Amino acid sequence: MARILITEDEDSLRSFVARALRLDGHETYEAADGAEGLERLQEGGFDLLLSDIRMPVMDGIELAHKAASAYPGMKILLMTGYAEQRERADDLMEKIVDVVSKPFALPDIRKAVAHALAA
């Protein structure tokens, strides 16, 4: 299964998603903002970055740009609850698999991750 870094500033959502993906057999790692996420990515070996767009310190757009440059083989899946944030991700569409709208149900995020890993 995959090694997945979940970067999300909302603690409860981050742990909810991590638990859901562990049910599918994935190894999950967590970061509370983009800067922490970038540090965690340096550990190497991640198959997927699952990141919120709107976060303090470094947002998911900046994180996705840096991650795509540094780790071109890694899949990137973004999450957002804000329509305008989704539009900001348009310039990333060649670098990311998709943008998942929040709120989402457990099956939705599991399906999105499975799709991203298969892409």
Side-chain angles (χ1 to χ4, degrees):
M1 300 295 357
R3 283 176 42 99
I4 301 171
L5 176 62
I6 302 159
T7 306
E8 163 65 59
D9 61 320
E10 191 179 317
D11 294 342
S12 59
L13 181 59
R14 188 176 64 244
S15 52
F16 169 77
V17 170
R19 274 195 314 273
L21 297 178
R22 284 194 301 268
L23 289 174
D24 290 338
H26 301 298
E27 284 182 53
T28 61
Y29 301 83
E30 300 177 31
D33 60 55
E36 184 183 338
L38 196 58
E39 286 178 23
R40 294 297 309 256
L41 285 174
Q42 292 172 4
E43 296 169 14
F46 288 101
D47 301 298
L48 175 70
L49 168 63
L50 176 59
S51 179
D52 189 18
I53 291 178
R54 192 170 180 171
M55 295 181 293
V57 186
M58 178 192 300
D59 70 11
I61 302 286
E62 184 178 351
L63 174 60
H65 279 296
K66 291 182 177 190
S69 294
Y71 310 98
M74 182 180 62
K75 308 288 174 110
I76 301 172
L77 184 61
L78 298 177
M79 308 176 281
T80 189
Y82 301 91
E84 73 276 5
Q85 298 297 324
R86 186 180 182 94
E87 291 169 8
R88 282 186 56 223
D90 283 349
D91 70 322
L92 281 168
M93 292 321 269
E94 292 152 13
K95 299 177 181 178
I96 66 171
V97 177
D98 200 3
V99 179
V100 179
S101 295
K102 295 195 282 186
F104 46 74
L106 188 63
D108 298 331
I109 195 64
R110 291 169 76 186
K111 181 179 176 183
V113 165
H115 171 74
L117 291 169

